[in-house]
Amino acid sequence: MAQEAVYLSQAVTVAAPFPHPVSKIAPTLTCQASVTTERPKKGKRTSRMWCTQSFAKDDTIGRVGRLHGSVPNLSRYLESRDSSGTRGLPPTDYAHLQRSFWALAQKVHSSLSSVLAALTTERDRLRDTHQGSELSRMGVSEASTGQRRLHSLSTSSDTTADSFSSLNPEEQEALYMKGRELTPQLSQTSILSLADSHTEFFDACEVLLSASSSENEGSEEEESCTSEITTSLSEEVLDLRGAERCQKGGCVPGRPMGPPRRRCLPAASGPGADVSLWNILRNNIGKDLSKVSMPVQLNEPLNTLQRLCEELEYSSLLDQASRITDPCERMVYIAAFAVSAYSSTYHRAGCKPFNPVLGETYECERPDRGFRFISEQVSHHPPISACHAESENFAFWQDMKWKNKFWGKSLEIVPVGTVNVSLPRFGDHFEWNKVTSCIHNVLSGQRWIEHYGEVLIRNTQDSSCHCKITFCKAKYWSSNVHEVQGAVLSRSGRVLHRLFGKWHEGLYRGPTPGGQCIWKPNSMPPDHERNFGFTQFALELNELTAELKRSLPSTDTRLRPDQRYLEEGNIQAAEAQKRRIEQLQRDRRKVMEENNIIHQARFFRRQTDSSGKEWWVTNNTYWRLRAEPGYGNMDGAVLW
C-alpha cells in the first residue's frame, strides 16, 4: 500500500500543470477515483429539445442525444455553433407554417370552386341546347366543339390563373410537387363534399392542423375530381339524344306539360348571417327546439308541409318501379326513391323551414309529373304533419313528427314515423323508416348536414325480399362522408342486389367502384346559393298564380304572409307577421282548452292498431271539395 501511494504521488507530480504540493492534491484525486467506480445517476433534464418525428430518426442527431445524457451542455453548445444541423422547427415557426399552408389551401380551394361553378353552368347550357327544338339539326361535330370548350375551360381557367398569381415561385413549385404525389392516390371522391374541409367537420373547428392535415389532401383531391367531372361532362355532351344513364326527376313523357315555372325567387337572398344563435340556444341545450321561437332570418321561404312534398321530386322512380315485373328489381327502385328524398338537403343546412300552424294545409298538383299531393298539420303538441299523394302508378303517404335536440355545436333531428308507398298494379305496399339528420357547426363556421342510420324497406304483401340501406356516419378525417351502402336481400338473407353511392350524388347497383347507375340527382339551378340552395323543384313549390289563388283553401301555405314576405326579401314585415301568426295560434289553443274542444283534422283521420300504434291517412275529401263546391265558396279557419 505504501508503494502504491508513492507511485500515485509521483504520477500526480508529473501530470500537475500547476505548482501545488502533492500532499494536497493526492487525497482529492483518490476521492474522485473512488467516485468514478460507481455509475452516476442521470439527472432530470431541465430543458427538452423540440423536434419532429424525422428528427429522432436521424443517426447523427441520435448520437448527439446520447451525449446530451452525460454532458448536459453539449447539445446547446453544438446548436449554437451550427444551427443548420437541426432539422426541427421551433413551435412558433411551425404554427406560422401551418397558417401559411392553410391560406394556400384556401386559395386553391377557391380557384377550384370557381372552375366547378363554370363547368356546371356550361353543362346546364349544353343540356338545355340538346333538349331544345334544335336537337335534330345538331351533329357530332358540334358536340365535339362543346367537348373541346369544356376541356379548355377546365384546363385554362382565368380564375385559377389569377388565384395562383399571388403565390411566389417556391410555393407554386411546392404545391405542384405535392399534387403530383397525391393525385394518383385519389379515386372517386365527391368534389361537393370537399368544400366542407376544415370548419365543418365533426363540431371540431378548434382542432389544430397536423403535419398530415386533410385540408391539403382535400385541395388536391378537388383537383383530381375536377378532371373526373370534366370527363363525365364530355360524355354527356356526346350523347345527342340526351338519354340519361340514371333515372332523374322531371316531366314524364306522354303527360301534358304544365305552365312555365319560375327559375328563381322574387328576391335573391341567402341564409341570414347576422343572427346570434348562441343567444337563442344557450338556455335550450338538450331541449326540444320545436317549442322555441326562432327569428325569421333563420328560416327559408318554405314550410315543413312543402318539404314533405319535396320528397316526390324523383317520383319518376316510382313510375319506373310500377312497370317492372320482378319484385326484387322493384325493390331496387323503391330503395333509390328512399335515398333520393335526402338529396335536396345538401345545400340547405343554413336555414330551417317554417313550422306549420295547427290546421295549415298545402296542395301540389303536377299533371306534368303525374301526381297530386296534399298535406296538413294534424297536431301541434306533438307537432305531426300528414301527407298523401296519388298517381295512376302509385300512392304515397306518411305522417311525421320530429324531435330536435341541440347539443352545443350541432343540432340533431330525429324523425318518428313511417313512409308508405303502394303500387296498385302489383298490390305491393312498401314501408320504411327515416334516418337521423344532424346539422354541424350551428354556432360558428360553415354549417353542413349529414344523415346517418339504417333504413329497412319491406313489402308487407310480399316477403320474398327486403332491403337494408345504411347511411354512413362520417368518421374523423375519413372520406366516406355522405356515403350510403345497402343490399336487397332474399328471405334467407342472400344478397340479390348490392347498392352503393352517396345520397347527394347518386345510387349505383353492382360491385364497387363500377356498377349501374339507378338514380342521379338533377343539376342545381344557376345562383342556387342566392336562392337558399333550392333545387328547381323547390323553387316551384311556393309559386302562386292568380288562377291557383282562386282555387286554394284559405289555410294553404302559399297564402301565409310571413313566408311570402321572406320570399320577397322583406325581413321586417316577415318577422312582424310571424310573431302575429304565432300569437294567434296561442290564443286559439287557449280558447280550445278553456272550452274542452279537441282539434279535428279536416282532411286526414287517425287510425290505431291493436298494439296502440297510431298513424294518419287521408279521408279522401280534399279534391272532391276542391271541385265541388270549391274552396272559394266555403268558409275556412282564420290562421293568419
Side-chain angles (χ1 to χ4, degrees), residues 32 53 62 92 120-121 147 152 177 216 231 302 331 334 348 378 433-434 437 456 472 518 593 598-599 627 634 636:
Q32 291 180 357
Q53 291 180 354
T92 55
T120 303
T121 304
Q147 183 181 11
S152 62
M177 296 304 297
N216 61 352
T231 303
L302 281 182
M331 181 67 76
I334 296 297
R348 308 270 284 279
V378 296
N433 60 292
K434 289 187 174 182
S437 303
L456 175 61
C472 300
I518 304 299
E593 291 177 350
I598 300 177
H599 173 78
M634 299 174 60

Side-chain angles (χ1 to χ4, degrees), residues 383-403:
I384 301 177
S385 304
C387 69
H388 180 89
E390 56 190 34
S391 167
E392 61 181 7
N393 296 325
F394 66 86
F396 167 86
W397 71 96
Q398 64 174 315
D399 59 276
M400 280 291 157
K401 59 182 178 180
W402 292 265
K403 295 181 179 179

